[in-house]
Amino acid sequence: MSRLANLPAGVSWMLYAALGLLVLTLVQEWGTDDTSRLTANGTSSTMLRWSMVVLLAGLGGLFSERAGIVNIGLEGMLVLGTWFGAWGALQWGPWGGLLLGAVGGAAGGLVHAVATIGFGIDHIVSGVAINLIAPGAMRYMSSEIFVGYEGGSISDSPRVEEFGDFTMPILAGGNFFGWDSPN
């Protein structure tokens, strides 16, 4: 270790990166089948699907920064939108969940806007407060609302069995003003 401490910082970081690549290569080569490889199609598509929420939150943060607002509370707004979306889907179906999820996330943004612009609170303080209050409040709401349903708990929304079929005209087939779009 003393030899690594004597190296310049750039060289030691390059060695750490090379070691990380070696570990990733070994993990990929010792995988049991093609589906467990890091570069498999399923792995890449799953990674893109799971990271989409974080990418969209980052895009929202970019728009906030361009408008001159430091929005640290994006994660709290995501929690608000997720909880209200689950509750809306439970009460009124998928469209109600989608609408109420958007309203819940926008309510977090409204709280941030009123706090920072209306009351002059520091942007960082307001964002951190939203990040701390939103998960706690939604966990409390889950304990009050979701626990009464079958499959619902303080950390899981209840399962909604039947949403029905949904087709998006033009994108996934269906009738669009008399024209049958391909599936």
Side-chain angles (χ1 to χ4, degrees):
M1 279 314 260
S2 64
R3 289 184 182 176
L4 282 178
N6 293 335
L7 292 174
V11 174
S12 62
W13 280 110
M14 283 190 281
L15 288 174
Y16 291 136
L19 180 65
L21 285 173
L22 176 67
V23 168
L24 285 175
T25 303
L26 291 175
V27 166
Q28 180 173 340
E29 287 303 316
W30 289 340
T32 56
D33 56 4
D34 282 341
T35 60
S36 65
R37 293 192 178 270
L38 294 174
T39 56
N41 287 338
T43 306
S44 299
S45 65
T46 301
M47 175 213 46
L48 187 61
R49 227 180 8 251
W50 281 73
S51 66
M52 192 54 59
V53 173
V54 176
L55 292 173
L56 289 173
L59 187 62
L62 178 71
F63 286 143
S64 294
E65 284 289 328
R66 295 292 293 165
I69 303 292
V70 179
N71 196 351
I72 301 294
L74 289 168
E75 293 86 359
M77 293 172 200
L78 285 172
V79 168
L80 288 168
T82 302
W83 191 90
F84 279 104
W87 182 62
L90 183 66
Q91 297 295 320
W92 299 291
W95 291 109
L98 190 64
L99 180 66
L100 210 55
V103 168
L110 181 65
V111 167
H112 184 63
V114 167
T116 57
I117 297 169
F119 295 122
I121 295 174
D122 187 61
H123 296 215
I124 304 297
V125 172
S126 172
V128 169
I130 290 171
N131 279 342
L132 292 175
I133 293 170
M138 294 306 101
R139 190 161 173 95
Y140 172 75
M141 294 294 290
S142 294
S143 71
E144 293 296 315
I145 293 175
F146 291 157
V147 170
Y149 291 96
E150 181 182 346
S153 70
I154 195 169
S155 59
D156 288 330
S157 62
R159 195 152 184 82
V160 178
E161 295 300 327
E162 183 100 17
F163 275 142
D165 292 333
F166 172 73
T167 61
M168 176 67 85
I170 299 175
L171 296 178
N175 191 344
F176 187 66
F177 298 113
W179 173 67
D180 289 329
S181 62
N183 190 354

